[in-house]
Amino acid sequence: MSHHENQTNCNDKRGICSLDSDTDDQKQKKRKPLEIYTFIDPLCPECWAFEPILKKLQVEYGQYFRIRFIVAGKLEAWNLCRGKYKGAQSREDLAHVWRKITETFGMPCDGDVWLEDPITSSYTPSLAIKAAELQGPQAGVRFLRKLREHLFLNKQNVTKEDILISCAQRAGLDVKEFKQDLHSKGAAKALRCDMQTTKEMDVDLVPTFVFFNDNVDEEGIKVTGHYPYHIYVQILEDMLGFKPERQPPMSLEHFLKKYEFVASIEVAVVFDLEIDEAEKQLKKLVLKQKLELVPMKYGNFWRYLE
């Protein structure tokens, strides 16, 4: 693609280091023609802020792609300490930057964790993500979401094992197995694999996305950072070789049931609404006792009630 300077070809490195052995995962991989390598750091607020767009892609075009999360280890930290955030070195600076990211992208992100219980490294939460994934790809996705909620919303230090265990419980994991895997060679090997893939694909900022199709001889397309939604849809079209069809519209209630705990901005982005209109519709479901409002410091969340 030539219409965006940050979109680059990326050699197909999918054979570098693969730990996939789950039969259902392999079936899903065969069924869907595209795979998106999503490079993240668990402490990166911009990765968290990408959640609304990622949900919209999944809701509208999820039949075409599978997401594989790669923990981008051994970066110089994450975007906060690089590029436009290079000056953010003190705890106060980091807290301020997190607030600015909330203002820019709309996804609530409470930087006071840096003032109240600062985090020293992303290694342990990164390892925990890999430990969760040993219970299957979807278990890993659920765990990553809960870890981010604990960190960005509840200001909890996700390097602490008791917090990670709480994330595992809330994600519906087998907690006993998770505790064992957290200290296992398997999780450590999976994290080293991610670090190797990050290096081989020349990823030095997060979030970064590499789109691959099912032709292993064809190069992928790498995109770093946040862009308008239509850019990602265009990449899907380019990689597929045809215009993808949107899935039938999902009802708001079905969306909430599927994701269980979402921000107003996620609903607004997925359903193409202004925040005020999204919250008006969400409040109607509160009155019907389908939802619970969970106010956060920088925005509202909504919990689906079974």
Side-chain angles (χ1 to χ4, degrees):
M1 301 206 28
S2 60
H3 58 265
H4 221 287
E5 62 181 3
N6 275 24
Q7 292 174 3
T8 60
N9 287 333
C10 182
N11 291 332
D12 189 335
K13 305 286 188 178
R14 281 171 284 185
I16 296 175
C17 182
S18 178
L19 298 174
D20 289 345
S21 60
D22 187 274
T23 304
D24 291 336
D25 193 30
Q26 290 299 323
K27 287 178 182 176
Q28 183 188 39
K29 197 172 182 179
K30 290 176 184 176
R31 194 164 60 243
K32 298 185 178 184
L34 302 184
E35 187 167 28
I36 304 174
Y37 279 28
T38 303
F39 292 84
I40 62 162
D41 185 299
L43 307 187
C44 169
E46 287 196 358
C47 297
W48 166 243
F50 194 78
E51 285 279 279
I53 287 181
L54 194 58
K55 278 187 172 60
K56 187 174 178 67
L57 273 177
Q58 289 173 314
V59 166
E60 294 191 341
Y61 300 104
Q63 72 272 32
Y64 293 107
F65 64 84
R66 170 181 176 267
I67 292 174
R68 180 174 176 180
F69 285 101
I70 310 288
V71 179
K74 288 283 177 87
L75 301 180
E76 287 183 13
W78 60 97
N79 288 5
L80 294 183
C81 300
R82 297 171 138 270
K84 60 184 176 180
Y85 302 130
K86 195 172 181 180
Q89 297 298 334
S90 71
R91 295 175 184 177
E92 289 77 12
D93 287 343
L94 289 168
H96 176 71
V97 166
W98 281 30
R99 286 193 293 272
K100 292 296 290 182
I101 287 173
T102 296
E103 293 170 8
T104 301
F105 299 108
M107 197 66 172
C109 180
D110 193 341
D112 285 352
V113 65
W114 293 106
L115 308 177
E116 298 171 10
D117 194 0
I119 298 163
T120 55
S121 168
S122 63
Y123 177 78
T124 302
S126 297
L127 189 65
I129 293 167
K130 298 294 110 178
E133 287 178 354
L134 293 177
Q135 297 188 34
Q138 290 308 309
V141 170
R142 294 195 308 271
F143 178 82
L144 174 60
R145 175 70 182 200
K146 294 306 172 188
L147 184 147
R148 286 167 158 175
E149 290 171 6
H150 276 64
L151 173 63
F152 295 115
L153 304 180
N154 300 327
K155 303 180 293 181
Q156 294 185 331
N157 188 327
V158 292
T159 64
K160 296 178 178 178
E161 192 161 325
D162 62 325
I163 300 299
L164 295 173
I165 290 168
S166 173
C167 295
Q169 289 171 330
R170 290 177 179 272
L173 271 59
D174 180 321
V175 175
K176 182 179 179 181
E177 188 177 328
F178 173 76
K179 287 180 182 178
Q180 293 172 343
D181 288 336
L182 192 55
H183 302 284
S184 71
K185 291 182 179 178
K189 183 179 179 182
L191 184 55
R192 287 196 301 272
C193 177
D194 280 14
M195 290 162 60
Q196 182 181 347
T197 302
T198 301
K199 181 179 179 182
E200 292 286 347
M201 291 193 182
D202 298 319
V203 172
D204 58 4
L205 287 174
V206 288
T208 287
F209 311 92
V210 183
F211 293 73
F212 291 111
N213 62 23
D214 52 8
N215 182 352
V216 295
D217 296 322
E218 191 169 322
E219 292 181 332
I221 293 179
K222 181 166 70 174
V223 186
T224 296
H226 289 244
Y227 295 103
Y229 179 70
H230 70 86
I231 294 292
Y232 304 101
V233 176
Q234 182 62 52
I235 294 172
L236 293 181
E237 182 174 339
D238 289 356
M239 296 301 291
L240 288 166
F242 59 85
K243 189 176 179 64
E245 292 185 14
R246 288 185 187 179
Q247 295 189 97
M250 182 182 289
S251 71
L252 177 56
E253 191 169 338
H254 184 195
F255 173 80
L256 294 160
K257 184 176 183 179
K258 177 179 174 66
Y259 290 105
E260 296 181 353
F261 187 67
V262 299
S264 296
I265 185 67
E266 292 180 289
V267 173
V269 168
V270 169
F271 291 93
D272 294 316
L273 300 170
E274 296 295 327
I275 289 283
D276 289 348
E277 179 57 33
E279 293 198 334
K280 191 181 295 183
Q281 294 192 26
L282 290 161
K283 286 172 182 174
K284 290 178 183 176
L285 292 173
V286 171
L287 292 174
K288 293 179 180 179
Q289 298 185 325
K290 298 286 185 70
L291 282 186
E292 175 189 10
L293 168 61
V294 185
M296 295 293 173
K297 185 173 180 180
Y298 294 111
N300 291 326
F301 270 72
W302 310 79
R303 179 177 288 114
Y304 186 77
L305 302 175
E306 291 286 324

